Amino acid sequence: MATIGVLGGGISGLSAAYYLSKTAATGFGKIILLESSSRLGGWVSSLELEDGSLFEIGPRSIRGVGRSGYNTLELAEEIGLTNQIIPVPHTSPAARNRFIYLNGELCALPNNLKSVFLRQSPFTSPLFLAGLKEPFRPRSKDDDETVDSFFQRRFGNEIAKFAADPLCRGIFAGNSKKLSMRSCFPIFYDFERKYGSIVLASLLKPKDKTIPKSNLIDRFRSEKWSMWSLLKGLKMLPETLGQRLKNAEICLNTPCVGLEIARNGAKVKTSAGAKDFAHIICSLPAHEVSHLVSAEHPELSALLSNIEFASVAVVNLQFRSNILNVEGFGHLIPSHQLAPVLGVLYESCSFPQHNGPDNSTRLTVMMGGAWFKDAFGDVDNCDKEEIGRLAVSTVSGHLKISERPYRVITHVHKKCIPQYQVGHWKTVKQIENYIERNQLPITLIGSSYKGVSVNDCIYNARLAVQNFRVK
């Protein structure tokens, strides 16, 4: 029987291989996964030190809400990770308290019903007033717009400036004045289209009754988790997936250096030689796929190259004592503050199980993103020591910390987060149409197209495999 190839051993590629391996209905006799590096997981990476301290180098927590969130919980249960989960209940300060840093001060964002009815800095009026006006705002006739434009229209300048803007920096490391509402926040976009209002949608939309049968999902719902991680870090998820793959061959240190795709099959060229496949599921970033197909499919290559990416510096800091004066998930810095720092995460508050030595404090500083080049220059030649020093001085100033960290660990992730700019949905549709029109045996998955979160990557891989099986 024919062989299917999976390109990329990040969370998307691993998930696709896992879902393929679960069924005998694929029509393929073998699955081969090719990964260019020496490890599985891609951007999902955890650093565990000898003293028990643990730092997330990439994504640091997983949320459980929605279909994609339930799907990840279902997957975690299937592969035996239930007893390894660290839940964060909705009552935890890490779940309830979020801040923005504005004009030299931390400002707590409203986190309960009472706070919505009170004026709370930096907002000049209670947020419920914006909510009262929102249902009367006209819906847009455009097929897409920026995140900033959407929130300006529906909720006003302050919510766009102090909530939507830092949120985009925290999730996408991106600029809300460029990012697509339709692609970045499709739920809210659809709410306006269907109900004419975000507020009305939250009141009128029917509850999702298609909740998978899962003991872990039941526990998530009954205990009201806000987010979760794993005892040995999120790296346990891809590592365990790799261990649970059936009928699949994993080839590490095998970069794809060439790709030939025709209607009758595909040839992948690697440093170890060429491999022929009846079909390929490709989870490589769009810019890498663009390069690989440029010779044979220049139109497809051009479409893929339209998807831009941001680079992010991640600086993990550890202090010997409990130096936090506030408890919460962390704080974000709005873009108009012109700071190269996107946000600071209070890791020791979210997951104290990873703190290592008693009473230590772990913080993570996220830097750069869409502003990386302006702040630090070329990503290949940036000064990591200077980035680390800036992270330390930023934390000292923002959180009024005098103690110096005894650990400063800096990683620079080149082109790690795709930037879904206005019209991104059209680009994705054109890519899909080109593949279908030319009957190419390739399926594109991964964060480049329809969601950047771990949940999105896993769920979209599952959908791709389901759709692929029925062809």
Side-chain angles (χ1 to χ4, degrees):
M1 297 177 72
T3 300
I4 184 170
V6 177
L7 303 187
I11 196 64
S12 294
L14 278 168
S15 298
Y18 173 77
Y19 289 122
L20 279 170
S21 70
K22 281 185 65 178
T23 176
T26 60
F28 292 91
K30 189 175 184 181
I31 303 164
I32 298 178
L33 185 148
L34 305 178
E35 163 57 35
S36 63
S37 73
S38 60
R39 51 171 286 275
L40 297 172
W43 296 119
V44 180
S45 178
S46 312
L47 176 63
E48 187 178 12
L49 302 178
E50 291 183 357
D51 64 2
S53 302
L54 189 141
F55 300 93
E56 296 291 0
I57 309 304
R60 44 225 344 100
S61 62
I62 297 178
R63 300 196 174 277
V65 295
R67 293 184 181 180
S68 63
Y70 289 155
N71 181 71
T72 304
L73 287 166
E74 190 178 18
L75 174 66
E77 184 174 33
E78 285 181 6
I79 62 177
L81 288 176
T82 298
N83 294 332
Q84 302 299 313
I85 286 180
I86 306 173
V88 177
H90 74 289
T91 54
S92 165
R96 295 175 57 83
N97 302 333
R98 283 167 170 74
F99 306 86
I100 62 171
Y101 185 79
L102 188 65
N103 300 326
E105 294 184 355
L106 284 181
C107 301
L109 295 175
N111 64 1
N112 56 44
L113 185 61
K114 179 181 178 180
S115 63
V116 172
F117 287 90
L118 301 174
R119 190 189 73 80
Q120 188 168 326
S121 179
F123 303 102
T124 57
S125 60
L127 291 188
F128 90 95
L129 293 176
L132 284 178
K133 297 175 183 177
E134 192 270 342
F136 301 98
R137 308 282 191 188
R139 70 182 76 191
S140 174
K141 296 180 180 179
D142 297 331
D143 59 17
D144 199 1
E145 65 183 308
T146 67
V147 174
D148 179 74
S149 170
F150 181 93
F151 280 95
Q152 291 271 4
R153 278 195 309 103
R154 302 224 61 86
F155 294 100
N157 178 65
E158 289 189 344
I159 291 182
K161 188 175 183 179
F162 301 133
D165 173 282
L167 182 65
C168 285
R169 283 163 67 88
I171 297 175
F172 298 94
N175 188 338
S176 66
K177 293 180 172 63
K178 294 182 178 181
L179 292 176
S180 157
M181 189 68 198
R182 180 169 180 165
S183 297
C184 293
F185 300 100
I187 292 178
F188 293 141
Y189 174 87
D190 292 339
F191 280 173
E192 184 186 39
R193 288 298 182 273
K194 185 173 182 179
Y195 297 94
S197 162
I198 310 304
V199 172
L200 290 180
S202 64
L203 298 173
L204 299 176
K205 71 179 182 69
K207 292 185 178 180
D208 187 0
K209 297 181 180 179
T210 58
I211 298 173
K213 293 182 179 180
S214 159
N215 292 331
L216 188 56
I217 293 175
D218 291 343
R219 182 182 162 201
F220 164 83
R221 287 165 56 82
S222 65
E223 297 178 5
K224 297 180 180 180
W225 301 354
S226 171
M227 54 188 167
W228 56 275
S229 183
L230 295 161
L231 285 175
K232 298 295 184 180
L234 289 185
K235 69 174 183 179
M236 292 185 72
L237 185 55
E239 287 179 352
T240 307
L241 268 176
Q243 295 165 4
R244 296 301 175 93
L245 287 183
K246 301 175 182 178
N247 305 319
E249 177 185 347
I250 298 176
C251 302
L252 299 177
N253 301 304
T254 310
C256 177
V257 297
L259 182 58
E260 298 176 4
I261 317 171
R263 293 187 179 185
N264 61 345
K267 182 186 292 292
V268 177
K269 298 178 181 177
T270 74
S271 55
K275 296 181 182 292
D276 293 316
F277 298 103
H279 193 96
I280 287 174
I281 294 181
C282 180
S283 69
L284 303 179
H287 60 87
E288 291 187 20
V289 185
S290 173
H291 173 72
L292 291 171
V293 302
S294 60
E296 287 191 329
H297 301 280
E299 181 182 343
L300 178 59
S301 175
L303 290 169
L304 290 162
S305 68
N306 287 335
I307 302 173
E308 298 183 8
F309 286 73
S311 300
V312 176
V314 178
V315 183
N316 302 112
L317 306 176
Q318 189 167 22
F319 301 80
R320 293 193 184 280
S321 61
N322 181 6
I323 46 82
L324 284 177
N325 297 315
V326 294
E327 288 187 311
F329 184 75
H331 68 263
L332 296 168
I333 300 95
S335 63
H336 71 274
Q337 297 290 285
L338 303 178
V341 175
L342 305 171
V344 179
L345 303 175
Y346 312 160
E347 307 284 19
S348 54
C349 186
S350 298
F351 299 106
Q353 298 87 343
H354 294 160
N355 285 349
D358 291 342
N359 215 34
S360 75
T361 300
R362 295 174 304 111
L363 304 174
T364 297
V365 184
M366 315 296 290
M367 311 171 74
W371 301 265
F372 192 98
K373 188 172 183 179
D374 292 338
F376 307 117
D378 182 72
V379 66
D380 292 317
N381 299 304
C382 62
D383 188 337
K384 288 187 179 180
E385 290 188 1
E386 177 58 30
I387 290 173
R389 286 193 291 270
L390 179 58
V392 172
S393 65
T394 296
V395 164
S396 298
H398 288 196
L399 298 174
K400 308 297 189 293
I401 296 172
S402 58
E403 181 180 326
R404 302 291 294 179
Y406 72 98
R407 282 191 176 124
V408 179
I409 304 170
T410 302
H411 290 83
V412 175
H413 300 316
K414 181 179 178 180
K415 293 185 175 182
C416 60
I417 304 180
Q419 302 294 285
Y420 298 166
Q421 299 192 0
V422 173
H424 176 78
W425 72 276
K426 290 182 180 178
T427 298
V428 173
K429 188 64 177 176
Q430 289 172 323
I431 290 169
E432 293 172 341
N433 288 343
Y434 181 92
I435 292 172
E436 183 176 357
R437 185 172 68 249
N438 291 277
Q439 299 179 32
L440 301 181
I442 184 171
T443 301
L444 298 178
I445 61 172
S447 65
S448 297
Y449 311 104
K450 297 180 180 179
V452 302
S453 72
V454 172
N455 285 336
D456 291 330
C457 290
I458 295 172
Y459 187 61
N460 287 329
R462 181 175 187 171
L463 293 180
V465 169
Q466 289 175 346
N467 293 335
F468 175 66
R469 290 206 309 266
V470 299
K471 291 181 180 180

